[in-house]
Amino acid sequence: MPTLRSAAASASTAGTASPTAIATPRSAKRRLTSPRRAAGSPDASQFTSPHKSPNVGIVGTPKLLSASPRSSRKRLYGDFVAAEKPKWNPRGKSPESHFSRAHSSDWDLTKEFICSADPAQMQVVKEALHVATVPSSGLVCRDDEQSRVLEFCKGCVEQERAGSLYVCGCPGTGKTLSINKVKESVARWADVTGMETPDALSINCTSLAKTHEIFSKILAKFQTRKKATGKLSPLQQLQTMFSHKESAPRRMLLVVVDEMDYLITRDRAVLHDLFMLTTYQFSRCILIGIANAIDLADRFLPKLESLNCKPLVVTFRAYSKDQISDIIKHRLKVLEYDVFEPLALEFCARKVAAASGDMRKALGVCRSAVEVFEARLQESSDQEFGLVTFDHMDIALSKAFKSPVVDSILCLPQHQQMVLCALANTFHHCKKKATTLGELNKSYIEICRSTQVPAVGMLEFSNMCMVLSDQGFMKLGQSKEDKLRRVMLQIDSSDITFAFKDFAFYWIKPT
């Protein structure tokens, strides 16, 4: 009498799906039901490995299975994990030379796909990270700032009125690149809306032999066939032009003045006269000034406001670690392979953001890390394939930030180092360039308390500051009372940050 188990077995042979087939994952089930296996071909068993069948995925299979025969990881796990970029091959050796290992082991199943490349890959990576390379897909992390400037320019063009805008921020924060993108956006917007496209003039003040030459360049853009008579200066000709409707130009002019810090003279007349050009009744100037000085607006805005030519201020903050990481990844998207380990990029972003937030510095560090990796490849014959690692980035960061000043700081006694940290901490929050010896002493005592280090007395503290002043780290002013003496930092605060990045007493109190 047949048992229940034997009945189930006979039913299975009659065409019912076996338990093995029922429990088979989706991806494996697709391979088991390929056309040849479904036809019961006697040669079907030889196509058990996905690497031996050149026709897998051509008929009746999803597009996912038509990947390269060597990309076994994509074939086996494509339904569950996202596709990854192939690894970098900076030596330019073809992976076919390594396929002999696949015959003796499951090397193809355990290694990721290695793309073949030529030595030009190294140069392509360096060009992608070069400061002069402008990303074709646009600028990231500055959408808000660009939007404010663009709306300002649109309003001036639509109402046919002059206006002034001041862009400030630390070096390497994308000011010039953003304004150039805005100029292109204004031209496209004018074409789409049917507005008259304004003329554009870009002036870098570092190229001016004399500051007042900026008015000659603006006048040359407005110059008509009728030449001015008399002995009027270019500034006076512009003032006369914008004072009368008959002589006023018809088309608007977008003037971008970069490195505006160079226009600061003793009497500041050039800077004031430049902004005053936008206040005349028939002026057609849209003035956008760019400068690195954060406090330039604070120093000159009261005077400009009294002259009724206060500009709109747009501040570009230093890049954060997340923004630096996003910008580098955005630049590397043009490559078809991964170059950096994620930890290496994060390390670079954190260090640069803590020091200055300068994107140009971050790109330079990444290029230096690639060069370190390239040198290691030439020295070692074992490292055929790989990525730029944390160690390569650490060497590049040390080269970028370490300087003779850093070495001198590290050689100072502990309490003198803590005085420099207190000074850097003070300027980090108040954004001033000077403080008093009394305020510096308070900051120094706070650091001593937080690290449980006994603080020295006021007399010894004053003597330490005099020693630091003699060595060129700070500058001390004169006063009858020591506590009222002015103190100014004579070195870059980023050198202090980098020198003490691993020290317990270096800290920045929250704002």
mmCIF file with all atom_site columns, all heavy atoms in Angstrom, residues 4-22:
data_model
loop_
_atom_site.group_PDB
_atom_site.id
_atom_site.type_symbol
_atom_site.label_atom_id
_atom_site.label_alt_id
_atom_site.label_comp_id
_atom_site.label_asym_id
_atom_site.label_entity_id
_atom_site.label_seq_id
_atom_site.pdbx_PDB_ins_code
_atom_site.Cartn_x
_atom_site.Cartn_y
_atom_site.Cartn_z
_atom_site.occupancy
_atom_site.B_iso_or_equiv
_atom_site.pdbx_formal_charge
_atom_site.auth_seq_id
_atom_site.auth_comp_id
_atom_site.auth_asym_id
_atom_site.auth_atom_id
_atom_site.pdbx_PDB_model_num
ATOM 1   N N   . LEU A 1 4  ? 1.925  8.043  2.119   1.00 0.00 ? 4  LEU A N   1
ATOM 2   C CA  . LEU A 1 4  ? 1.710  9.449  1.708   1.00 0.00 ? 4  LEU A CA  1
ATOM 3   C C   . LEU A 1 4  ? 2.950  10.034 1.060   1.00 0.00 ? 4  LEU A C   1
ATOM 4   O O   . LEU A 1 4  ? 2.883  10.784 0.103   1.00 0.00 ? 4  LEU A O   1
ATOM 5   C CB  . LEU A 1 4  ? 1.326  10.268 2.940   1.00 0.00 ? 4  LEU A CB  1
ATOM 6   C CG  . LEU A 1 4  ? 1.023  11.761 2.697   1.00 0.00 ? 4  LEU A CG  1
ATOM 7   C CD1 . LEU A 1 4  ? -0.160 11.901 1.737   1.00 0.00 ? 4  LEU A CD1 1
ATOM 8   C CD2 . LEU A 1 4  ? 0.717  12.450 4.025   1.00 0.00 ? 4  LEU A CD2 1
ATOM 9   N N   . ARG A 1 5  ? 4.161  9.674  1.588   1.00 0.00 ? 5  ARG A N   1
ATOM 10  C CA  . ARG A 1 5  ? 5.411  10.192 1.035   1.00 0.00 ? 5  ARG A CA  1
ATOM 11  C C   . ARG A 1 5  ? 5.631  9.692  -0.381  1.00 0.00 ? 5  ARG A C   1
ATOM 12  O O   . ARG A 1 5  ? 6.056  10.435 -1.261  1.00 0.00 ? 5  ARG A O   1
ATOM 13  C CB  . ARG A 1 5  ? 6.569  9.801  1.927   1.00 0.00 ? 5  ARG A CB  1
ATOM 14  C CG  . ARG A 1 5  ? 7.912  10.286 1.417   1.00 0.00 ? 5  ARG A CG  1
ATOM 15  C CD  . ARG A 1 5  ? 8.994  9.991  2.409   1.00 0.00 ? 5  ARG A CD  1
ATOM 16  N NE  . ARG A 1 5  ? 8.729  10.689 3.673   1.00 0.00 ? 5  ARG A NE  1
ATOM 17  C CZ  . ARG A 1 5  ? 9.521  10.594 4.731   1.00 0.00 ? 5  ARG A CZ  1
ATOM 18  N NH1 . ARG A 1 5  ? 10.616 9.835  4.689   1.00 0.00 ? 5  ARG A NH1 1
ATOM 19  N NH2 . ARG A 1 5  ? 9.231  11.245 5.849   1.00 0.00 ? 5  ARG A NH2 1
ATOM 20  N N   . SER A 1 6  ? 5.358  8.381  -0.643  1.00 0.00 ? 6  SER A N   1
ATOM 21  C CA  . SER A 1 6  ? 5.558  7.856  -2.004  1.00 0.00 ? 6  SER A CA  1
ATOM 22  C C   . SER A 1 6  ? 4.579  8.465  -2.976  1.00 0.00 ? 6  SER A C   1
ATOM 23  O O   . SER A 1 6  ? 4.876  8.686  -4.137  1.00 0.00 ? 6  SER A O   1
ATOM 24  C CB  . SER A 1 6  ? 5.421  6.328  -1.990  1.00 0.00 ? 6  SER A CB  1
ATOM 25  O OG  . SER A 1 6  ? 4.094  5.965  -1.563  1.00 0.00 ? 6  SER A OG  1
ATOM 26  N N   . ALA A 1 7  ? 3.365  8.770  -2.482  1.00 0.00 ? 7  ALA A N   1
ATOM 27  C CA  . ALA A 1 7  ? 2.392  9.420  -3.376  1.00 0.00 ? 7  ALA A CA  1
ATOM 28  C C   . ALA A 1 7  ? 2.841  10.814 -3.760  1.00 0.00 ? 7  ALA A C   1
ATOM 29  O O   . ALA A 1 7  ? 2.684  11.245 -4.898  1.00 0.00 ? 7  ALA A O   1
ATOM 30  C CB  . ALA A 1 7  ? 1.014  9.491  -2.675  1.00 0.00 ? 7  ALA A CB  1
ATOM 31  N N   . ALA A 1 8  ? 3.418  11.503 -2.808  1.00 0.00 ? 8  ALA A N   1
ATOM 32  C CA  . ALA A 1 8  ? 3.922  12.856 -3.120  1.00 0.00 ? 8  ALA A CA  1
ATOM 33  C C   . ALA A 1 8  ? 5.065  12.798 -4.092  1.00 0.00 ? 8  ALA A C   1
ATOM 34  O O   . ALA A 1 8  ? 5.205  13.645 -4.971  1.00 0.00 ? 8  ALA A O   1
ATOM 35  C CB  . ALA A 1 8  ? 4.335  13.552 -1.824  1.00 0.00 ? 8  ALA A CB  1
ATOM 36  N N   . ALA A 1 9  ? 5.931  11.763 -3.944  1.00 0.00 ? 9  ALA A N   1
ATOM 37  C CA  . ALA A 1 9  ? 7.065  11.635 -4.862  1.00 0.00 ? 9  ALA A CA  1
ATOM 38  C C   . ALA A 1 9  ? 6.588  11.342 -6.263  1.00 0.00 ? 9  ALA A C   1
ATOM 39  O O   . ALA A 1 9  ? 7.123  11.864 -7.244  1.00 0.00 ? 9  ALA A O   1
ATOM 40  C CB  . ALA A 1 9  ? 8.006  10.535 -4.364  1.00 0.00 ? 9  ALA A CB  1
ATOM 41  N N   . SER A 1 10 ? 5.573  10.463 -6.419  1.00 0.00 ? 10 SER A N   1
ATOM 42  C CA  . SER A 1 10 ? 5.071  10.156 -7.764  1.00 0.00 ? 10 SER A CA  1
ATOM 43  C C   . SER A 1 10 ? 4.408  11.368 -8.390  1.00 0.00 ? 10 SER A C   1
ATOM 44  O O   . SER A 1 10 ? 4.482  11.602 -9.583  1.00 0.00 ? 10 SER A O   1
ATOM 45  C CB  . SER A 1 10 ? 4.084  8.991  -7.695  1.00 0.00 ? 10 SER A CB  1
ATOM 46  O OG  . SER A 1 10 ? 2.968  9.342  -6.868  1.00 0.00 ? 10 SER A OG  1
ATOM 47  N N   . ALA A 1 11 ? 3.744  12.152 -7.533  1.00 0.00 ? 11 ALA A N   1
ATOM 48  C CA  . ALA A 1 11 ? 3.117  13.373 -8.067  1.00 0.00 ? 11 ALA A CA  1
ATOM 49  C C   . ALA A 1 11 ? 4.146  14.361 -8.559  1.00 0.00 ? 11 ALA A C   1
ATOM 50  O O   . ALA A 1 11 ? 3.940  15.079 -9.519  1.00 0.00 ? 11 ALA A O   1
ATOM 51  C CB  . ALA A 1 11 ? 2.235  14.022 -6.989  1.00 0.00 ? 11 ALA A CB  1
ATOM 52  N N   . SER A 1 12 ? 5.310  14.372 -7.879  1.00 0.00 ? 12 SER A N   1
ATOM 53  C CA  . SER A 1 12 ? 6.380  15.287 -8.302  1.00 0.00 ? 12 SER A CA  1
ATOM 54  C C   . SER A 1 12 ? 6.914  14.917 -9.651  1.00 0.00 ? 12 SER A C   1
ATOM 55  O O   . SER A 1 12 ? 7.220  15.753 -10.482 1.00 0.00 ? 12 SER A O   1
ATOM 56  C CB  . SER A 1 12 ? 7.501  15.287 -7.259  1.00 0.00 ? 12 SER A CB  1
ATOM 57  O OG  . SER A 1 12 ? 8.580  16.065 -7.703  1.00 0.00 ? 12 SER A OG  1
ATOM 58  N N   . THR A 1 13 ? 7.053  13.620 -9.917  1.00 0.00 ? 13 THR A N   1
ATOM 59  C CA  . THR A 1 13 ? 7.576  13.185 -11.214 1.00 0.00 ? 13 THR A CA  1
ATOM 60  C C   . THR A 1 13 ? 6.573  13.402 -12.309 1.00 0.00 ? 13 THR A C   1
ATOM 61  O O   . THR A 1 13 ? 6.919  13.414 -13.484 1.00 0.00 ? 13 THR A O   1
ATOM 62  C CB  . THR A 1 13 ? 7.943  11.693 -11.151 1.00 0.00 ? 13 THR A CB  1
ATOM 63  O OG1 . THR A 1 13 ? 6.767  10.953 -10.766 1.00 0.00 ? 13 THR A OG1 1
ATOM 64  C CG2 . THR A 1 13 ? 9.052  11.444 -10.125 1.00 0.00 ? 13 THR A CG2 1
ATOM 65  N N   . ALA A 1 14 ? 5.313  13.584 -11.964 1.00 0.00 ? 14 ALA A N   1
ATOM 66  C CA  . ALA A 1 14 ? 4.276  13.786 -12.981 1.00 0.00 ? 14 ALA A CA  1
ATOM 67  C C   . ALA A 1 14 ? 4.231  15.204 -13.498 1.00 0.00 ? 14 ALA A C   1
ATOM 68  O O   . ALA A 1 14 ? 3.481  15.502 -14.399 1.00 0.00 ? 14 ALA A O   1
ATOM 69  C CB  . ALA A 1 14 ? 2.901  13.410 -12.398 1.00 0.00 ? 14 ALA A CB  1
ATOM 70  N N   . GLY A 1 15 ? 5.024  16.065 -12.950 1.00 0.00 ? 15 GLY A N   1
ATOM 71  C CA  . GLY A 1 15 ? 5.060  17.439 -13.495 1.00 0.00 ? 15 GLY A CA  1
ATOM 72  C C   . GLY A 1 15 ? 4.838  18.512 -12.480 1.00 0.00 ? 15 GLY A C   1
ATOM 73  O O   . GLY A 1 15 ? 4.894  19.673 -12.796 1.00 0.00 ? 15 GLY A O   1
ATOM 74  N N   . THR A 1 16 ? 4.599  18.131 -11.218 1.00 0.00 ? 16 THR A N   1
ATOM 75  C CA  . THR A 1 16 ? 4.408  19.155 -10.185 1.00 0.00 ? 16 THR A CA  1
ATOM 76  C C   . THR A 1 16 ? 5.745  19.734 -9.781  1.00 0.00 ? 16 THR A C   1
ATOM 77  O O   . THR A 1 16 ? 6.722  19.021 -9.708  1.00 0.00 ? 16 THR A O   1
ATOM 78  C CB  . THR A 1 16 ? 3.717  18.515 -8.966  1.00 0.00 ? 16 THR A CB  1
ATOM 79  O OG1 . THR A 1 16 ? 2.515  17.910 -9.402  1.00 0.00 ? 16 THR A OG1 1
ATOM 80  C CG2 . THR A 1 16 ? 3.401  19.583 -7.913  1.00 0.00 ? 16 THR A CG2 1
ATOM 81  N N   . ALA A 1 17 ? 5.804  21.044 -9.473  1.00 0.00 ? 17 ALA A N   1
ATOM 82  C CA  . ALA A 1 17 ? 7.063  21.697 -9.080  1.00 0.00 ? 17 ALA A CA  1
ATOM 83  C C   . ALA A 1 17 ? 7.566  21.100 -7.793  1.00 0.00 ? 17 ALA A C   1
ATOM 84  O O   . ALA A 1 17 ? 6.812  20.862 -6.858  1.00 0.00 ? 17 ALA A O   1
ATOM 85  C CB  . ALA A 1 17 ? 6.849  23.196 -8.925  1.00 0.00 ? 17 ALA A CB  1
ATOM 86  N N   . SER A 1 18 ? 8.862  20.846 -7.739  1.00 0.00 ? 18 SER A N   1
ATOM 87  C CA  . SER A 1 18 ? 9.490  20.277 -6.559  1.00 0.00 ? 18 SER A CA  1
ATOM 88  C C   . SER A 1 18 ? 9.637  21.318 -5.483  1.00 0.00 ? 18 SER A C   1
ATOM 89  O O   . SER A 1 18 ? 9.625  22.509 -5.747  1.00 0.00 ? 18 SER A O   1
ATOM 90  C CB  . SER A 1 18 ? 10.872 19.715 -6.914  1.00 0.00 ? 18 SER A CB  1
ATOM 91  O OG  . SER A 1 18 ? 11.710 20.758 -7.306  1.00 0.00 ? 18 SER A OG  1
ATOM 92  N N   . PRO A 1 19 ? 9.805  20.879 -4.216  1.00 0.00 ? 19 PRO A N   1
ATOM 93  C CA  . PRO A 1 19 ? 10.026 21.858 -3.145  1.00 0.00 ? 19 PRO A CA  1
ATOM 94  C C   . PRO A 1 19 ? 11.264 22.692 -3.377  1.00 0.00 ? 19 PRO A C   1
ATOM 95  O O   . PRO A 1 19 ? 11.320 23.837 -2.988  1.00 0.00 ? 19 PRO A O   1
ATOM 96  C CB  . PRO A 1 19 ? 10.163 20.971 -1.889  1.00 0.00 ? 19 PRO A CB  1
ATOM 97  C CG  . PRO A 1 19 ? 9.457  19.703 -2.250  1.00 0.00 ? 19 PRO A CG  1
ATOM 98  C CD  . PRO A 1 19 ? 9.656  19.516 -3.692  1.00 0.00 ? 19 PRO A CD  1
ATOM 99  N N   . THR A 1 20 ? 12.267 22.108 -4.004  1.00 0.00 ? 20 THR A N   1
ATOM 100 C CA  . THR A 1 20 ? 13.491 22.864 -4.291  1.00 0.00 ? 20 THR A CA  1
ATOM 101 C C   . THR A 1 20 ? 13.203 24.027 -5.219  1.00 0.00 ? 20 THR A C   1
ATOM 102 O O   . THR A 1 20 ? 13.680 25.138 -5.053  1.00 0.00 ? 20 THR A O   1
ATOM 103 C CB  . THR A 1 20 ? 14.558 21.946 -4.905  1.00 0.00 ? 20 THR A CB  1
ATOM 104 O OG1 . THR A 1 20 ? 14.769 20.863 -4.034  1.00 0.00 ? 20 THR A OG1 1
ATOM 105 C CG2 . THR A 1 20 ? 15.843 22.691 -5.143  1.00 0.00 ? 20 THR A CG2 1
ATOM 106 N N   . ALA A 1 21 ? 12.381 23.759 -6.202  1.00 0.00 ? 21 ALA A N   1
ATOM 107 C CA  . ALA A 1 21 ? 12.054 24.836 -7.144  1.00 0.00 ? 21 ALA A CA  1
ATOM 108 C C   . ALA A 1 21 ? 11.205 25.910 -6.498  1.00 0.00 ? 21 ALA A C   1
ATOM 109 O O   . ALA A 1 21 ? 11.306 27.081 -6.812  1.00 0.00 ? 21 ALA A O   1
ATOM 110 C CB  . ALA A 1 21 ? 11.333 24.251 -8.364  1.00 0.00 ? 21 ALA A CB  1
ATOM 111 N N   . ILE A 1 22 ? 10.338 25.457 -5.554  1.00 0.00 ? 22 ILE A N   1
ATOM 112 C CA  . ILE A 1 22 ? 9.472  26.440 -4.900  1.00 0.00 ? 22 ILE A CA  1
ATOM 113 C C   . ILE A 1 22 ? 10.284 27.388 -4.038  1.00 0.00 ? 22 ILE A C   1
ATOM 114 O O   . ILE A 1 22 ? 10.042 28.576 -3.972  1.00 0.00 ? 22 ILE A O   1
ATOM 115 C CB  . ILE A 1 22 ? 8.407  25.710 -4.053  1.00 0.00 ? 22 ILE A CB  1
ATOM 116 C CG1 . ILE A 1 22 ? 7.473  24.926 -4.966  1.00 0.00 ? 22 ILE A CG1 1
ATOM 117 C CG2 . ILE A 1 22 ? 7.612  26.696 -3.194  1.00 0.00 ? 22 ILE A CG2 1
ATOM 118 C CD1 . ILE A 1 22 ? 6.483  24.063 -4.237  1.00 0.00 ? 22 ILE A CD1 1
#
